[in-house]
Amino acid sequence: MDILQKLGEQFRVFWNLELYKSGSTEIFMSQLIIALVVTVIGLSIAKRLSHLIANRIGKVAKLSDNTIHLIQRLTFYFIDILVILIALPIAGIPITIFAVMGSAFAIGIGFGAQNLFRNLISGFIIMFEKPIRIGDIVEIDEIEGRVQEIGNRTIVVKRSDGVDLVVPNHYFIDQIVVNWTREDGAVRATLQVGVAYGSPVTVVRDLLLKIANDNERVLQDPRPPEVLFSDFGDSALGFELHFWSNIVRPMDRRRVMSELRFEIDRLFNEAGIVISFPQRGCWGSHNEDITIVKTAAFVRR
């Protein structure tokens, strides 16, 4: 019994411990604990309630996933504020105490929470301006992926290999980020290929158009495929195949380029057209590397 009495006495001392006093305002440990318990329970309820409200509104109004996500986050913040305003009076903590603590809190923000608030503000900008939306395919430092989640401080981008990239919100505001699908999934692509001198250029053009038109991934709208005779190279005739393709997944643009190259190689071989390849020539004392087959580039319209 003595041990229990001592523990009870220590608990009462801890429970009634004075944490703050200014004039007639006193804050005890008991008040702080009650406020924290009410806040934690309230935030847990707020998360579920905001999700439920947003989904109900989205189903009734038939809103997009991004609009539902925006409603959910705004509802969550609103309920959070209500929870805090309710928790403080229940615990007996006057709201005016924050006016006294405001200057110290501001100093703490200035030194220790700059990045935190920078990302929070960037998150609000992204929510309202919507330069990035859930489901968009983006390119960050030559890394492609799909936006999976837009959080308060970070955005989760899933790469084509399944790896999740957690990127701070401010990066999408401060840096150049390629958004392949911001308006729609249609992008313009350019495939460049060089053929040997003496090749029938009209046949090359017709084969490239046939290959593009026969591919189901190549779009006829907003513009049908087009072939340009781009250059008389050092040892090749350069051609460019311009076409539009629809991107749904991050790997789609690579797949369509691969399919077209497979067909180009097959049909050119059947037609006896030689695709130029990297060659090493030697003239006098100078060696020269000549790379003819070029890469492809995608451009947003």
Side-chain angles (χ1 to χ4, degrees):
M1 293 295 296
D2 292 339
I3 297 178
L4 293 177
Q5 289 178 353
K6 290 181 179 179
L7 290 176
E9 184 64 27
Q10 291 178 356
F11 177 78
R12 282 192 294 271
V13 171
F14 174 77
W15 186 255
N16 296 316
L17 179 64
E18 186 180 73
L19 299 176
Y20 176 84
K21 184 176 182 180
S22 177
S24 60
T25 302
E26 295 179 338
I27 297 178
F28 297 93
M29 179 64 72
S30 57
Q31 295 173 283
L32 181 62
I33 293 175
I34 294 173
L36 289 176
V37 171
V38 173
T39 301
V40 170
I41 295 175
L43 294 182
S44 178
I45 295 174
K47 185 175 182 181
R48 297 183 181 182
L49 187 59
S50 62
H51 183 75
L52 179 62
I53 293 174
N55 286 338
R56 289 289 178 86
I57 295 175
K59 289 180 180 179
V60 173
K62 296 181 180 180
L63 303 176
S64 66
D65 291 341
N66 289 282
T67 304
I68 294 174
H69 180 72
L70 175 60
I71 293 174
Q72 179 182 344
R73 292 184 64 183
L74 292 176
T75 305
F76 178 71
Y77 291 140
F78 178 74
I79 297 176
D80 284 353
I81 294 173
L82 290 180
V83 168
I84 294 174
L85 294 178
I86 292 172
L88 294 179
I90 289 177
I93 301 177
I95 299 177
T96 54
I97 190 66
F98 291 101
V100 180
M101 299 171 60
S103 58
F105 185 68
I107 295 174
I109 292 176
F111 288 99
Q114 290 183 4
N115 288 333
L116 172 63
F117 280 85
R118 181 184 182 188
N119 286 316
L120 287 174
I121 294 172
S122 298
F124 280 109
I125 294 174
I126 291 172
M127 277 197 303
F128 288 102
E129 293 188 358
K130 298 181 180 179
I132 303 294
R133 300 167 299 179
I134 295 175
D136 283 350
I137 297 174
V138 297
E139 181 177 336
I140 306 170
D141 293 335
E142 300 183 356
I143 299 175
E144 295 179 13
R146 181 184 296 277
V147 177
Q148 295 290 109
E149 178 184 343
I150 300 178
N152 298 328
R153 297 178 297 105
T154 60
I155 292 177
V156 178
V157 178
K158 183 176 287 295
R159 296 191 324 203
S160 56
D161 58 2
V163 176
D164 288 340
L165 299 178
V166 181
V167 186
N169 286 340
H170 75 82
Y171 188 95
F172 290 87
I173 303 298
D174 300 338
Q175 305 295 325
I176 296 177
V177 178
V178 179
N179 188 340
W180 292 100
T181 55
R182 183 171 184 269
E183 296 179 359
D184 53 45
V187 295
R188 183 169 64 86
T190 301
L191 190 153
Q192 300 179 345
V193 61
V195 300
Y197 272 88
S199 300
V201 293
T202 56
V203 175
V204 172
R205 178 198 61 198
D206 294 342
L207 286 177
L208 290 174
L209 288 175
K210 171 179 170 52
I211 291 168
N213 289 320
D214 289 347
N215 191 297
E216 62 181 9
R217 296 178 184 267
V218 176
L219 304 177
Q220 297 298 319
D221 181 60
R223 190 173 300 169
E226 181 182 12
V227 174
L228 300 179
F229 192 161
S230 60
D231 192 18
F232 289 97
D234 292 336
S235 60
L237 303 174
F239 289 84
E240 294 179 354
L241 172 60
H242 296 268
F243 63 93
W244 288 86
S245 181
N246 194 49
I247 291 181
V248 178
R249 292 172 294 274
M251 283 293 293
D252 281 352
R253 70 190 186 97
R254 295 186 180 181
R255 290 190 180 101
V256 67
M257 300 300 291
S258 176
E259 292 172 3
L260 294 175
R261 289 191 179 102
F262 273 119
E263 282 299 293
I264 289 173
D265 182 71
R266 184 179 69 84
L267 292 184
F268 277 28
N269 283 334
E270 292 178 358
I273 298 174
V274 178
I275 300 176
S276 297
F277 54 89
Q279 303 177 28
R280 184 179 298 275
C282 182
W283 294 270
S285 60
H286 299 282
N287 292 329
E288 181 179 0
D289 292 334
I290 307 174
T291 302
I292 305 301
V293 183
K294 302 178 181 179
T295 58
F298 277 73
V299 182
R300 285 291 307 173
R301 58 170 166 155

